[in-house]
Amino acid sequence: MTRRVLIPMAALLLVMALSPNSLASPANTRVTRDATAGSYLRYDGTSDATMAACSTGRRSQNEPTIAVDPHNTQVVVAGSNDYCAQIVNGDVWPGYYRSTDGGATWADSLVPGYPEDSSSAGLASPTHGSCAAAGDPTQAFDNDGRLFYAFICFNRSKPINGAVYSARYLADGSSYDRTVLIKKGSPSAQFSGSGLFQDKINITADQTSGPFSGNVYVAWSQYTGKAANNSILFSRSTDHGLTFSPAARVTPVEHGTGSFTDLAVGPDGAVYLTYLTYASLSRPTADIWLSKSVNGGVSFGRPSHVASITLFDSNQFSGNGAYDCGDGPFACPSGFTYSRFFSSSAVAADASGVHVVYAGELPSGQSKVFVRNSPDGMSFPAPAVQLDGVATGHRWFPDIASGGGTITVVFYDSRGDPAYAPSVPPGNTAAGVNSGDVVNTFVARSADGVAWTETPVTSHGSNFGWETHGSRRDGFWGDYIYVSAVGTAVNVTWTDSRDLVPGSDPREIGADDDHDGFDVLQPCTYVPNDINALSYSQPLVSDSCLSQGGLDQNIYSDRL
């Protein structure tokens, strides 16, 4: 999720120029141009079968990340879980997208090392041959234009090897250099119930001029099988991403399960790490925490308690505890259709203090975004600030950055949903029918973390119930969106459904839920069977009909 250092600037006069009321109208730009031949190229400017397929594959992209380059703020890079890689390689891979005009136009690629990558860099990557799928992208620049792109890489069958890697790009992100391993997983994990699986990673770099300038910091969740005891691990690089320190646990044992971590560096070089813990026997609440390091990530102090929250997690809408619901064997007792979402937190730090953002439910069941401010990252003398008082819609997946005297929060918002009810997931009616393109991306901006003004960023709404999960019949829209700020240059990115092609699913027959309005244009290759059975026909990921737009979930961005 977040990733940025906030550089104190003497230009406080720019606060008014960058005030929320001065936001221009949305200028949404499609980042993933996967309907244009030749739009994807390898790191070296050449093509291969994977790049050719990605260029016209119109497959799903989600979990976007974005980073503004402090060395040249016209350079912006983005990433995603890019499912175009499935067509040739059989599974998802991290997309790498770069702009040299502030985000107005983009050049698209994949991080080297995918299974069918025969380039010299691809063959040299430690991911090549060791893992078939990769995702959870996160990016950060240092002051000299080095880009660090961290991700997880794994297999969906044994050996699973869920591991954390970081790719390094030089020359303002224009030149791929290498990929290094940060932490390996165990051969059997996550999908089979044992071993260690690394997940939900976040990276940042120290962009200050202090003693730790150039340090790179990475944090992530380590899952021990399927047990509810995952912890937050941390690693750092003091040689510009060439090597990383052995992973160290940040979360105290008594906190139980920790997840969804986020990092920021303050103007004095202090490192801040926020995360979420879940209810346990020792602590009956879900809680947001913040840890601080004042020695360049060598060690962290005891975590400070930010807030206890009521989770806004998608499993509350399923009727059976499922986090995502669709059709056929993926249908839920509630009859709703949606992709998963979770509560999480993010952090930014600037000259005014430390700002932690998170989503949680009000007693009414409505999900809101809150910010809690701290002067030092250890104490929180003032209560949390609720960003808005609008009575309709849910807000979720907030991210935060600060630059040029303005703090920016980005989040999804369903306030425009005519079918909104606290007991209904976004984009559904009470009867489980698609309520339209009712989810928009918003930003809230503030000069002090207390008074906020909200503005919609998207020029077209989305719905996160579309069944875009490829071989499955439910949706997946990722676990986060991103904002990055360097001075007055602020870019946001999100997952968008405006390019999807609706359709009818030929696998749905009889009384199956085939009139809910969430079906998309489906594959050519399938074998009809009893749709209510536990098994069903899965299309091949190489099915050319999947490239006709039914899965065309894209990454969009905007410079504020």
Side-chain angles (χ1 to χ4, degrees), residues 153-194:
C153 198
F154 58 94
N155 300 306
R156 297 188 193 274
S157 58
K158 295 180 180 180
I160 291 182
N161 291 339
V164 171
Y165 294 87
S166 177
R168 188 174 84 157
Y169 290 76
L170 306 177
D172 298 310
S174 66
S175 176
Y176 171 80
D177 178 50
R178 70 188 69 197
T179 296
V180 298
L181 174 67
I182 298 175
K183 177 72 163 63
K184 182 179 289 188
S186 298
S188 178
Q190 186 69 348
F191 306 115
S192 57
S194 63

Side-chain angles (χ1 to χ4, degrees), residues 310-312 316-317 360-368 370 386 388-395 420-424:
T310 299
L311 296 171
F312 180 64
Q316 67 182 287
F317 298 108
E361 288 187 6
L362 299 175
S364 66
Q366 184 185 20
S367 179
K368 290 287 190 179
F370 301 87
Q386 182 177 305
D388 74 86
V390 180
T392 60
H394 293 295
R395 296 90 169 99
Y420 164 74
S423 59
V424 174

Side-chain angles (χ1 to χ4, degrees), residues 94-277:
Y96 179 62
Y97 324 115
R98 183 172 180 267
S99 172
T100 58
D101 54 13
T105 60
W106 294 85
D108 297 338
S109 187
L110 299 178
V111 175
Y114 45 89
E116 296 299 321
D117 188 353
S118 60
S119 68
S120 58
L123 295 174
S125 171
T127 65
H128 193 267
S130 65
C131 46
D136 277 23
T138 174
Q139 298 166 313
F141 277 104
D142 68 12
N143 279 333
D144 296 319
R146 300 182 190 90
L147 174 74
F148 309 99
Y149 188 136
F151 57 95
I152 65 169
C153 198
F154 58 94
N155 300 306
R156 297 188 193 274
S157 58
K158 295 180 180 180
I160 291 182
N161 291 339
V164 171
Y165 294 87
S166 177
R168 188 174 84 157
Y169 290 76
L170 306 177
D172 298 310
S174 66
S175 176
Y176 171 80
D177 178 50
R178 70 188 69 197
T179 296
V180 298
L181 174 67
I182 298 175
K183 177 72 163 63
K184 182 179 289 188
S186 298
S188 178
Q190 186 69 348
F191 306 115
S192 57
S194 63
L196 301 177
F197 189 88
Q198 319 303 325
D199 200 6
K200 305 188 188 313
I201 185 173
N202 184 241
I203 195 168
T204 194
D206 187 328
Q207 296 173 1
T208 72
S209 58
F212 310 118
S213 180
N215 278 8
V216 184
Y217 305 114
V218 186
W220 66 95
S221 299
Q222 178 172 271
Y223 289 80
T224 305
K226 291 184 178 294
N229 58 358
N230 45 300
S231 55
I232 303 300
L233 302 185
F234 176 86
S235 178
R236 67 180 189 137
S237 173
T238 58
D239 56 8
H240 308 297
L242 297 179
T243 61
F244 285 83
S245 64
R249 178 172 178 147
V250 176
T251 45
V253 174
E254 63 269 22
H255 279 187
T257 293
S259 195
F260 292 106
T261 187
D262 190 59
L263 291 162
V265 178
D268 60 356
V271 184
Y272 299 96
L273 184 155
T274 183
Y275 60 93
L276 171 71
T277 58

